[in-house]
Amino acid sequence: MNRLISRCVLALSASAILSNTVMAADAASCQNVRMGVVNWTDVIATSAMTQVLLDGLGYKTKQTSASQQIIFAGIRDQRLDLFLGYWNPLMTQTITPFVDAKQVKVLDKPSLEDARATLAVPTYLADKGLKTFADIAKFEKELGGKIYGIEPGSGANTQIKAMIAKNQFGLGKFQLVESSEAGMLAAVDRAVRRKEAVVFFGWAPHPMNVNVAMTYLTGSDGALGPNEGMATVWTVTAPTYAEQCPNVHKLLTNLTFTAADESRMMQPLLDHKDAIESARQWLKDHPQDQARWLEGVTTFDGKPAATNLQLTSQ
């Protein structure tokens, strides 16, 4: 009798485990995942990684490239579900109204803890004495009165414009050159090849930190965020997404990175490789990352993700 009872208990336990696995699958409405992506190489790389994982688990992912303001508004208006590129503090001013109105939700932990974003110069210029924000004005003539930023409307550009408007650090006569990430990096590359003076908005993770001998400026007085531009990166979703789509939310929670690894993920993209194919290759070459990211996650139809992920091209 005791053996019979034990067998029944084991059978019920196995049934419960199987039931929990199946129940982990998301509702049908969650199968289509709509991601917002800003045109920054780090966000493109992590978004591609997320898409490859989701598509490989049976979801149907669509990316929409837009500015951060449009992405947050898209989540608010239920046209987008998530965004992997909220840089804090650079985007904090932009996202705060949406957070305060409970129109978007920031995950409980960052996806990247060791990021940095502030003004930088080629190291040969730092060696000449341009090492702090206060030094920029001293090199106005050599710099042509220009600071090179990224795309219009970005948090970084807004903060740089505020410094210029307030004549902070004596920058009142300077002009912010707004461009894309690629456009800014092309200008920096051109200046470096000619050994010319240039001040630009730099950040890590990014291969620029390897490809250019660069120095981040200090003495910012918090103008581009505290701790001389140290930053964190967070994932943002619709307010009730965790409750509606717990399996996707679990994957998003698992997706954490380091600046060093992200920089390596980004390099193929700067070499004009396809972001999706590069993400697939990373997962094949780094099984430990794949295992970590898929822990506790299932396929869309409720099977264990670790043994059912499909990485073949669709």
Side-chain angles (χ1 to χ4, degrees):
M1 177 63 73
N2 288 337
R3 289 182 179 179
L4 180 59
I5 293 173
S6 296
R7 288 174 183 171
C8 289
V9 170
L10 288 173
L12 288 170
S13 298
S15 177
I17 292 171
L18 179 60
S19 176
N20 285 339
T21 301
V22 173
M23 287 180 66
D26 284 333
S29 60
C30 298
Q31 187 170 22
N32 294 311
V33 182
R34 303 165 299 175
M35 301 173 58
V37 183
V38 291
N39 195 30
W40 296 4
T41 308
D42 65 301
V43 181
I44 293 172
T46 56
S47 298
M49 192 71 67
T50 305
Q51 176 167 341
V52 168
L53 289 168
L54 286 171
D55 289 352
L57 295 175
Y59 290 85
K60 299 175 182 178
T61 312
K62 179 182 178 181
Q63 294 190 20
T64 297
S65 181
S67 69
Q68 55 196 265
Q69 295 95 329
I70 292 175
I71 289 173
F72 296 142
I75 296 175
R76 176 198 64 195
D77 298 339
Q78 301 180 23
R79 291 181 285 106
L80 294 172
D81 300 310
L82 55 96
F83 172 53
L84 276 78
Y86 161 38
W87 275 67
N88 179 9
L90 282 176
M91 295 182 183
T92 299
Q93 183 176 349
T94 303
I95 197 175
T96 295
F98 297 95
V99 173
D100 289 346
K102 295 181 170 51
Q103 296 166 336
V104 304
K105 184 174 182 179
V106 180
L107 262 59
D108 292 336
K109 66 177 182 179
S111 60
L112 182 66
E113 294 187 298
D114 57 343
R116 188 176 191 182
T118 190
L119 294 182
V121 298
T123 297
Y124 59 76
L125 191 56
D127 291 340
K128 292 181 179 180
L130 206 172
K131 298 180 179 181
T132 72
F133 277 57
D135 293 329
I136 298 174
K138 302 174 186 176
F139 287 77
E140 180 184 351
K141 183 177 180 179
E142 294 94 323
L143 294 167
K146 296 179 180 178
I147 297 174
Y148 286 84
I150 48 177
E151 75 276 2
S154 66
N157 284 14
T158 299
Q159 291 169 308
I160 295 169
K161 285 181 176 180
M163 286 191 291
I164 294 172
K166 294 185 294 186
N167 194 30
Q168 193 173 5
F169 308 110
L171 298 177
K173 296 181 180 179
F174 274 75
Q175 172 193 356
L176 174 65
V177 180
E178 297 187 288
S179 181
S180 64
E181 173 190 329
M184 183 200 74
L185 291 175
V188 172
D189 180 66
R190 183 167 57 251
V192 169
R193 283 188 282 106
R194 298 173 178 174
K195 291 292 182 181
E196 296 175 345
V198 61
V199 171
F200 60 96
F201 179 68
W203 65 91
H206 196 284
M208 74 172 84
N209 295 273
V210 177
N211 298 336
V212 177
M214 56 187 281
T215 299
Y216 288 102
L217 302 184
T218 59
S220 62
D221 293 338
L224 287 177
N227 302 317
E228 303 296 1
M230 298 307 295
T232 50
V233 182
W234 302 73
T235 296
V236 181
T237 68
T240 59
Y241 197 73
E243 293 76 24
Q244 294 173 340
C245 307
N247 191 52
V248 177
H249 183 263
K250 174 61 177 174
L251 176 63
L252 297 176
T253 301
N254 288 355
L255 279 168
T256 58
F257 308 89
T258 65
D261 277 350
E262 273 199 36
S263 293
R264 291 164 57 208
M265 291 175 193
M266 295 157 68
Q267 186 60 61
L269 279 61
L270 295 186
D271 294 336
H272 308 293
K273 302 287 180 62
D274 179 75
I276 296 295
E277 290 302 325
S278 298
R280 285 196 184 103
Q281 191 61 51
W282 181 276
L283 288 167
K284 293 174 183 177
D285 294 342
H286 299 83
Q288 71 282 6
D289 285 341
Q290 180 175 316
R292 177 169 61 88
W293 292 332
L294 295 180
E295 185 177 355
V297 178
T298 72
T299 62
F300 174 69
D301 57 4
K303 298 174 184 177
T307 54
N308 289 277
L309 179 70
Q310 300 294 321
L311 289 180
T312 56
S313 299
Q314 302 297 315

